[in-house]
Amino acid sequence: MDLQLDGRTAVVTGASKGIGLAVVRTLLEEGARVLAVSRTSGPELDALAGPDLVHAAEDLTDPQAPARAVARAVEVFGGVDILVNNAGGPPPGVALPRFGFLTPGDRDWVEMFDFNLFSAVRAARAAIPVMLERGGGSVVNVSSGNARRPAPMNVDYNAAKAALSNVSKALSEEFGPRGVRVNTVSPGPVRTPWWTDEGGAADILAAQTGADRQAVLDKVAPEMMGLTTGRLVDPQEVADVVVLLASPRSGSTTGTDVVVDGGFLKQV
C-alpha cells in the first residue's frame, strides 16, 4: 500500500532507539524526510544516514529544545508535515518500574511530566503553526495503555500519559477543521531498551520476582501484565501504526487512540 509519504517531512522525537528508531526507519522506507530528535545518536540511527535524514541532538527536558527541533526541520527541509511525539518513558537517569504512590516525590513527578507531557506540548505548539501554513499535517502522540489502566506501579508515568491522551483529543478538536489531524497510539509493554538495558525494567522485575532477566522478558512480564499474545510488543508493530496514522491514507482518522498492546487492555 502506498502511504503517500514521498517528499513529506517528519519530526520524530526519541528517535535513536526503540519505537522512535523503528518509526524513523519506516518513514524513510516510505519516502519521507525525517528530522530525528534525540539527546545522542546511536549506531542503528547512524546506519540510516542519507540525504533524507538529519539528526538533531536535543534534550527534550530543555523547554526550548522542541521549538529548536521544529525550526531545524523548517530550515533543512522547508517545513513540517508530520510530528511524532515518541520521546517518553523514564526521564534521563531514571529507572522504571517504581512501586507505590509514596515512592516518587515532587521532583520525580515534575521530571516525569516534563518528559512525557510538556515536551510533547511544546513540540506541538511549535509544529502546528507550521503545518497550518502548509494547509495541514498530522500529529501522532505515543501515549500508553497505562493511561487507561491506572495502577500503583509507575503512577506518575501513568498520569502523565493520561494527560497526553487528553491533550491530544483536545488538539484534534481544535485543529482538525483546519487540516491538522491529531491521534494517539497506546502501546503496551514494548521490548525496547527501557526493558532490555542493564538496570532496566527486566532487571528490576527480576530482583522483585527472583526470576532471571531473560525469563522476565520472555515469560514473567507477559504473564504479570496479562498479555493475550504471551509476549512483549515488538517496536516495529507500533511503528507501523504510527506511520499509517501519519499518512494521508488515514485522512479521516483524527482524535482516536489506537492500541497496540498484545491484549494488555481488557476494557470494552
Side-chain angles (χ1 to χ4, degrees), residues 103-127:
T103 301
D106 280 2
R107 182 173 179 180
D108 299 314
W109 278 85
V110 169
E111 290 177 348
M112 191 65 72
F113 269 69
D114 204 32
F115 192 43
N116 286 277
L117 175 64
F118 299 147
S119 68
V121 168
R122 292 163 181 148
R125 186 187 296 135

Side-chain angles (χ1 to χ4, degrees), residues 34-248:
V34 181
L35 186 91
V37 186
S38 59
R39 286 184 298 151
T40 60
S41 187
E44 292 177 290
L45 184 60
D46 292 342
L48 301 176
D52 292 332
L53 175 64
V54 172
H55 178 250
E58 295 285 359
D59 180 350
L60 292 173
T61 61
D62 175 354
Q64 305 305 317
R68 285 197 300 266
V70 170
R72 178 71 171 147
V74 173
E75 175 189 352
V76 175
F77 295 125
V80 175
D81 304 293
I82 298 161
L83 170 64
V84 179
N85 278 313
N86 166 72
V94 174
L96 296 180
R98 282 194 289 231
F99 301 93
F101 169 71
L102 297 178
T103 301
D106 280 2
R107 182 173 179 180
D108 299 314
W109 278 85
V110 169
E111 290 177 348
M112 191 65 72
F113 269 69
D114 204 32
F115 192 43
N116 286 277
L117 175 64
F118 299 147
S119 68
V121 168
R122 292 163 181 148
R125 186 187 296 135
I128 287 175
V130 178
M131 294 179 182
L132 292 173
E133 290 177 1
R134 292 163 70 83
S138 174
V139 179
V140 183
N141 292 326
V142 178
S143 185
S144 170
N146 287 304
R148 292 163 54 189
R149 189 173 170 178
M153 183 169 69
N154 300 332
V155 62
D156 49 346
Y157 169 78
N158 301 345
K161 287 299 191 181
L164 178 62
S165 295
N166 187 291
V167 169
S168 301
K169 189 73 170 181
L171 293 178
S172 75
E173 285 294 298
E174 180 172 358
F175 296 106
R178 301 171 66 185
V180 177
R181 297 181 298 109
V182 183
N183 294 286
T184 57
V185 175
S186 289
V190 182
R191 199 169 181 128
T192 64
W194 175 354
W195 281 86
T196 59
D197 277 352
E198 184 175 351
D203 287 335
I204 293 171
L205 288 177
Q208 288 282 328
T209 62
D212 65 73
R213 72 187 322 271
Q214 197 59 48
V216 168
L217 290 167
D218 294 340
K219 188 172 188 295
V220 175
E223 289 180 354
M224 285 178 61
M225 297 184 178
L227 303 187
T228 307
T229 59
R231 64 174 176 83
L232 301 183
V233 179
D234 187 273
Q236 188 61 53
E237 295 171 320
V238 182
D240 289 342
V241 174
V242 169
V243 174
L244 179 60
L245 286 173
S247 160

Side-chain angles (χ1 to χ4, degrees), residues 1-6 8 26 30 243-244 247-249:
M1 179 170 64
D2 179 8
L3 294 183
Q4 302 173 8
L5 291 172
D6 279 346
R8 295 180 184 268
T26 305
E30 293 295 331
V243 174
L244 179 60
S247 160
R249 297 298 292 265

